[in-house]
Amino acid sequence: MSLITLGVVALDCPAPRELAAFYAAALDWRVTDDGGDGEWVEVAGPDGRTLAFQRVDEGYRPPQWPGQDVPQQLHLDFDVPRDRIDEAERKVTELGAKLVQHDEGVRNFRVYLDPVGHPFCLCFT
């Protein structure tokens, strides 16, 4: 076993509770830690996977995709069965995501922005 293992991926955002609710609903995970003050909120999934959302009170600037004026710094990839990609797209867009790059029948992924601008992909499996 490795000495160092991945614990949590944390995303900066202006409203951690709201962004945690988006990802919890999109992934069918659950909000597990709110600490009461809403500064740090965690969403738990299977096998100990965790996403966290950390408040940035002032100066939050969403990444600009695909440009680099405000670099994305990271993005999340989520696997979806190929025959259910349209269903997954409906789900995330109804929750507030915005489609910014369709697969156009050429790629094996579609790119979206979450409600505060972080890019993520739905990848066909």
Side-chain angles (χ1 to χ4, degrees), residues 15 27 44 50-51 54 63 75 94 96-97 115 123:
L27 297 168
T50 304
L51 287 175
Q54 174 176 266
H75 74 270
E94 287 171 2
C123 303

Side-chain angles (χ1 to χ4, degrees), residues 78-85 108-109 122-125:
F78 300 105
D79 293 337
V80 177
R82 181 175 296 278
D83 63 342
R84 299 187 68 193
I85 190 68
N108 64 346
F109 62 91
L122 296 181
C123 303
F124 310 162
T125 60

Side-chain angles (χ1 to χ4, degrees), residues 9-27 29-31 34 38-43 51-56 60 62-63 74 76 78 92 95-98 113-120:
V9 173
L11 298 173
D12 287 349
C13 61
R17 285 187 183 120
E18 289 83 357
L19 196 57
F22 168 82
Y23 281 101
L27 297 168
W29 290 11
R30 62 184 172 36
V31 176
D34 185 342
E39 295 296 312
W40 177 274
V41 180
E42 293 182 1
V43 176
L51 287 175
F53 306 91
Q54 174 176 266
R55 180 181 310 282
V56 173
Y60 174 77
L74 74 93
L76 301 169
F78 300 105
V92 298
L95 290 168
K98 177 182 174 185
L113 300 179
D114 72 19
V116 297
H118 300 108
F120 69 93

